[in-house]
């Protein structure tokens, strides 16, 4: 009996040593991936409307806060976070073993290679609400962040793939409907804000992902140099009648902090930086 107990204690000790040895080999300077703001990635077109609604379902414990948006919506089963991704995210968050072991991640699914997570913190009890694309998320403590593994980026090119158009001028020609304009305002303003009285009989057109190839074509068509291409950020508000509604910001110019209100046919579009415009591929 004593031999069995001694052997068990020895195995436990060896197991603990092995675990500590594994932890000791973690390189907290390893660049596994990066964190991204959920709202910004939605506006960039990297997260779709349905993705965001799915995240809200799991974050809000159901449809209560956005019940009117879930008609005919199929909830995506998110499963559990892959163990290797969980490890890499924790390494990205922590500076040492103690922080790594104390991290408790809530998981809300994987969307377009982005993992939606939140760091649970029982010391925080404050409740806050965030409105993104007309969808409400309730937070207790920390907000949801997106994490994506580091990827090698392909070398950009600078050539014309299409043309840019003034939003108001195209609207005045009738090539965009009032409902299209309301959708652009809806996604730009994160909901019906600033236009509450204009959304009677509104038909929401769900904003899909902005294809990375299209994003590259927009940047290539806009930029004159590789430096300018690399400075560009494309915000995406949906596609209407083959026109991509976008807003372009450049890190080479200091326009992001300037708040702009553009009124088209009584519809307010409120944002910072350059005006919203349209892009259409050449035939």
């Amino acid at each position: 009996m004593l031999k069995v107990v001694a052997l068990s204690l020895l195995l436990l000790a060896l197991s603990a040593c092995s675990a500590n040895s594994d932890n000791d080999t973690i390189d907290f300077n390893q660049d596994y991936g990066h964190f991204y703001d959920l709202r910004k990635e939605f506006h960039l077109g990297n997260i779709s409307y349905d993705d965001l609604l799915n995240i809200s379902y799991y974050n809000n414990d159901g449809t209560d806060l956005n019940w009117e948006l879930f008609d005919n919506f199929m909830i995506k089963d998110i499963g559990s976070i892959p163990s290797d991704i969980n490890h890499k995210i924790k390494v990205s968050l922590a500076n040492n073993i103690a922080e790594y072991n104390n991290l408790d991640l809530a998981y809300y699914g994987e969307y377009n290679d982005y993992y939606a997570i939140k760091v649970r913190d029982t010391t925080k009890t404050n409740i806050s609400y965030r409105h993104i694309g007309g969808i409400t998320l309730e937070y207790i403590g920390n907000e949801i962040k997106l994490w994506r593994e580091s990827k090698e980026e392909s070398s950009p090119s600078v050539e014309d793939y299409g043309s840019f158009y003034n939003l108001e001028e195209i609207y005045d020609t009738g090539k965009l409907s009032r409902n299209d304009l309301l959708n652009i305002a809806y996604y730009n303003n994160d909901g019906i804000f600033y236009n509450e009285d204009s959304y009677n009989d509104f038909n929401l057109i769900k904003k899909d992902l902005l294809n990375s190839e299209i994003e590259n074509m927009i940047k290539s068509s806009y930029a004159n140099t590789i430096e300018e291409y690399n400075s560009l950020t494309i915000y995406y508000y949906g596609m209407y009648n083959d026109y991509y509604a976008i807003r372009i910001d450049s890190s080479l110019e200091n326009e992001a902090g300037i708040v702009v209100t553009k009124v088209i046919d009584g519809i307010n579009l409120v944002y910072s930086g350059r005006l919203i415009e349209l892009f259409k591929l050449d035939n």
Side-chain angles (χ1 to χ4, degrees):
M1 182 67 179
L2 290 175
K3 288 183 178 180
V4 172
V5 172
L7 179 59
S8 297
L9 291 173
L10 177 60
L11 290 174
L12 285 172
L14 289 173
S15 176
C17 289
S18 175
N20 289 334
S21 176
D22 289 342
N23 281 343
D24 289 342
T25 63
I26 296 177
D27 180 5
F28 290 99
N29 293 316
Q30 177 69 44
D31 182 20
Y32 285 121
H34 302 283
F35 292 95
Y36 300 86
D37 181 78
L38 177 59
R39 180 181 183 275
K40 183 173 182 180
E41 294 309 304
F42 175 73
H43 280 279
L44 291 173
N46 295 325
I47 296 294
S48 73
Y49 180 87
D50 281 354
D51 294 339
L52 187 60
L53 197 56
N54 210 69
I55 291 171
S56 80
Y57 175 85
Y58 288 104
N59 175 76
N60 299 347
D61 292 326
T63 65
D64 287 353
L65 284 179
N66 301 292
W67 61 268
E68 74 281 8
L69 305 178
F70 279 91
D71 289 343
N72 302 317
F73 177 73
M74 295 293 294
I75 304 297
K76 174 185 174 183
D77 182 20
I78 60 174
S80 57
I81 188 170
S83 59
D84 62 322
I85 296 299
N86 183 66
H87 168 72
K88 290 175 180 179
I89 293 175
K90 289 172 72 173
V91 171
S92 300
L93 285 165
N95 295 305
N96 53 56
I97 293 297
E99 289 182 8
Y100 177 96
N101 289 332
N102 286 328
L103 284 172
D104 182 16
L105 302 182
Y107 175 59
Y108 303 104
E110 184 266 326
Y111 310 90
N112 194 28
D113 295 331
Y114 290 87
Y115 293 86
I117 62 104
K118 181 173 69 175
V119 178
R120 293 191 180 97
D121 187 346
T122 57
T123 66
K124 296 180 178 179
T125 58
N126 57 299
I127 298 177
S128 61
Y129 296 91
R130 193 148 191 213
H131 305 286
I132 306 175
I135 296 171
T136 301
L137 295 106
E138 179 183 78
Y139 293 126
I140 301 177
N142 295 324
E143 295 189 4
I144 293 172
K145 292 287 186 183
L146 299 174
W147 184 89
R148 186 175 64 171
E149 285 196 79
S150 298
K151 294 183 178 181
E152 290 187 9
E153 301 292 339
S154 58
S155 299
S157 62
V158 177
E159 54 186 294
D160 287 336
Y161 292 99
S163 303
F164 296 89
Y165 301 88
N166 179 279
L167 173 60
E168 187 170 13
E169 290 177 0
I170 294 298
Y171 176 72
D172 287 342
T173 66
K175 294 177 181 177
L176 293 186
S177 70
R178 182 172 174 81
N179 192 73
D180 294 337
L181 183 61
L182 282 169
N183 268 276
I184 293 170
Y186 183 89
Y187 288 121
N188 174 77
N189 298 352
D190 281 322
I192 66 173
F193 305 108
Y194 310 108
N195 299 293
E196 287 84 351
D197 296 332
S198 301
Y199 279 90
N200 297 324
D201 300 322
F202 168 64
N203 178 33
L204 177 65
I205 301 171
K206 292 184 178 180
K207 182 165 76 77
D208 208 345
L209 300 173
L210 177 61
N211 182 283
S212 59
E213 183 179 359
I214 298 297
E215 180 185 7
N216 292 335
M217 288 178 175
I218 295 172
K219 288 183 176 181
S220 295
S221 302
Y222 188 91
N224 295 306
T225 65
I226 295 298
E227 180 187 22
E228 186 179 13
Y229 177 103
N230 290 328
S231 77
L232 297 178
T233 300
I234 307 296
Y235 295 88
Y236 174 59
Y237 306 108
M239 186 176 73
Y240 310 90
N241 197 23
D242 294 330
Y243 290 94
Y244 294 87
I246 59 165
R247 187 170 63 80
I248 302 175
D249 276 348
S250 171
S251 60
L252 299 177
E253 300 176 12
N254 187 23
E255 294 182 340
I258 302 173
V259 177
V260 176
T261 299
K262 180 69 174 177
V263 183
I264 303 176
D265 195 14
I267 304 301
N268 295 297
L269 298 106
V270 182
Y271 45 84
S272 64
R274 298 175 178 175
L275 296 176
I276 294 174
E277 55 189 318
L278 302 172
F279 174 82
K280 189 175 184 180
L281 292 170
D282 291 335
N283 293 327

